[in-house]
Amino acid sequence: MKFWDQAFRPDLNARSEEARILKAKVEVAYTIANFVAAIFFLIGSIMAFWPSTGTLTTWMFIFGSVVFAIKPTLNAWREVKLYQMGDAKRLAEDL
C-alpha cells in the first residue's frame, strides 16, 4: 500500500490504540502551536504602534510565522508515523 493512498485520512487515525494516542498528542501540540503563534502575533501587533519597538516587533512576527510553519509539519509527521504503524493487511482492509 502506498503512503499517498492512505495519508491524511481521518478514518485511519483510529485503527489502533497507539494511533489514537499519537493523534491525541499531535492535536495537543497543534493547539499549543496555534496559541503560541497567536500570542506572538498579538504582541507584535500591539508593539507595532510604537516605532521604538520596530526590531522586536519584526522578531515577534518571525517567531509567530515559524510556529505557524510547525503546524503542517506536525500533521505530515503524524501521517508518516501512522503509515509506519500500520501493517499492509490491515491497511488493505481499511481501504
Side-chain angles (χ1 to χ4, degrees):
M1 189 65 46
K2 293 180 183 175
F3 172 76
W4 293 111
D5 292 338
Q6 61 185 331
F8 303 101
R9 287 193 42 202
D11 58 317
L12 297 181
N13 287 337
R15 65 177 166 249
S16 70
E17 184 63 25
E18 186 180 18
R20 285 189 290 277
I21 290 169
L22 175 65
K23 183 179 186 316
K25 287 179 179 179
V26 171
E27 288 299 319
V28 168
Y30 195 87
T31 301
I32 290 169
N34 268 332
F35 182 73
V36 170
I39 292 296
F40 278 127
F41 272 87
L42 179 62
I43 292 170
S45 296
I46 293 168
M47 291 171 50
F49 285 111
W50 296 278
S52 62
T53 60
T55 300
L56 188 53
T57 299
T58 301
W59 280 109
M60 297 303 269
F61 286 125
I62 290 171
F63 290 142
S65 297
V66 168
V67 176
F68 276 133
I70 289 171
K71 292 169 39 180
T73 304
L74 284 169
N75 281 339
W77 176 79
R78 179 188 68 209
E79 295 302 323
V80 169
K81 293 299 286 181
L82 288 171
Y83 174 75
Q84 292 172 344
M85 280 191 235
D87 61 75
K89 182 179 178 186
R90 185 178 341 160
L91 293 174
E93 290 170 0
D94 287 341
L95 296 174

